[in-house]
């Protein structure tokens, strides 16, 4: 293992009732703790969020109100999770923006201080975005195998964007080819155009 650890790294993921860090709750937690020796330990539990799971959230992760009705609450699990994370650095995917704040809020809600000040926080999504450039120039190279000359020239960028779009439709069978379907597909999850 090339990863060098001085103390355990706990890589974790949460499924929740929604994306509001202050008010939404955990419905599933999984943690894989990697020890400096390379040994791995695991913690997993469904969690009763003590609130209704909205249909849109259940549609994403498949966890329904019925599925968690008899599961332990976060308050019940908190001491065990805290002990499992003792002296661990934390890692995840989009964890610095989502999972760590939600976990912190859940601990606070049950009166437990979850001190992050001495922990290293490793977010694989940030590494992904830093290492795999997300620009038109990178997309043009990836999809069209061409270098974008005169980047940030309106005409060059427009030509490259058109070629990228055409290449995406060719590359991914799930990307639709009609404009109404492309409109829906490219709206993503937000469904709203942010005019602010």
């Amino acid at each position: 293992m090339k990863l060098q650890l001085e103390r355990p790294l706990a890589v974790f993921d949460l499924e929740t009732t929604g994306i509001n860090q202050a008010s939404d709750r955990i419905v599933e937690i999984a943690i894989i703790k990697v020890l400096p020796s390379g040994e791995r330990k695991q913690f997993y539990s469904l969690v009763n969020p003590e609130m209704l799971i909205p249909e849109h959230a259940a549609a994403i992760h498949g966890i329904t109100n019925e599925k968690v009705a008899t599961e332990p609450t976060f308050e019940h699990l908190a001491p065990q999770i805290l002990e499992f994370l003792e002296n661990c650095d934390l890692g995840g995917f989009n964890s610095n923006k989502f999972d760590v704040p939600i976990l912190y809020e859940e601990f606070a809600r049950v009166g437990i201080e979850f001190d992050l000040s001495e922990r290293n926080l490793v977010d694989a999504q940030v590494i992904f975005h830093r290492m795999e450039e997300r620009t038109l120039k990178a997309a043009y190279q990836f999809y069209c195998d061409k270098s974008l000359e005169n980047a940030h020239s309106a005409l060059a960028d427009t030509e490259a964007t058109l070629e990228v779009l055409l290449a995406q439709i060719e590359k991914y069978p799930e990307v639709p080819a009609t404009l109404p379907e492309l409109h829906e597909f490219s709206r993503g999850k937000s469904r709203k155009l942010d005019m602010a």
Side-chain angles (χ1 to χ4, degrees), residues 63-171:
I63 301 169
T64 62
N65 293 301
E66 297 76 28
K67 201 172 193 178
V68 295
T70 60
E71 297 296 333
T73 64
F74 187 84
E75 184 172 20
H76 178 79
L77 293 169
Q80 190 179 355
I81 295 169
L82 192 64
E83 182 179 339
F84 193 78
L85 294 176
E86 186 177 353
N87 196 38
C88 289
D89 292 320
L90 301 176
F93 195 88
N94 194 33
S95 52
N96 290 352
K97 288 185 179 178
F98 185 73
D99 301 87
V100 171
I102 292 258
L103 185 63
Y104 184 88
E105 283 295 322
E106 286 279 23
F107 276 121
R109 211 174 272 120
V110 298
I112 296 175
E113 182 182 344
F114 185 54
D115 187 10
L116 297 170
S117 64
E118 299 298 318
R119 297 178 192 264
N120 293 303
L121 305 176
V122 180
D123 192 327
Q125 183 185 53
V126 173
I127 295 168
F128 174 52
H129 288 172
R130 289 188 68 174
M131 299 308 294
E132 300 299 329
E133 190 180 359
R134 296 292 178 247
T135 64
L136 177 58
K137 181 179 176 183
Y140 195 55
Q141 183 66 50
F142 179 80
Y143 290 108
C144 305
D145 198 26
K146 298 178 183 177
S147 295
L148 179 56
E149 304 299 326
N150 299 321
H152 303 295
S153 152
L155 185 57
D157 288 357
T158 302
E159 289 171 348
T161 301
L162 176 58
E163 283 189 57
V164 165
L165 176 61
L166 297 174
Q168 288 172 323
I169 293 168
E170 288 294 321
K171 182 173 180 66

Side-chain angles (χ1 to χ4, degrees), residues 13-18 25-30 44-72:
D13 187 60
L14 307 174
E15 299 303 330
T16 63
T17 58
R25 309 292 294 267
I26 296 171
V27 297
E28 183 180 41
I29 182 170
Y44 172 83
S45 185
L46 288 171
V47 182
N48 182 332
E50 301 181 280
M51 67 182 288
L52 290 177
I53 301 170
E55 286 182 28
H56 68 275
I60 293 169
H61 50 56
I63 301 169
T64 62
N65 293 301
E66 297 76 28
K67 201 172 193 178
V68 295
T70 60
E71 297 296 333

Side-chain angles (χ1 to χ4, degrees), residues 1-11 32-40 89 120 122:
M1 179 171 76
K2 195 171 181 179
L3 179 65
Q4 298 173 17
L5 301 175
E6 292 182 16
R7 63 183 184 181
L9 172 64
V11 178
I32 298 175
K33 180 166 48 174
V34 183
L35 303 177
S37 67
E39 179 187 355
R40 295 178 184 198
D89 292 320
N120 293 303
V122 180

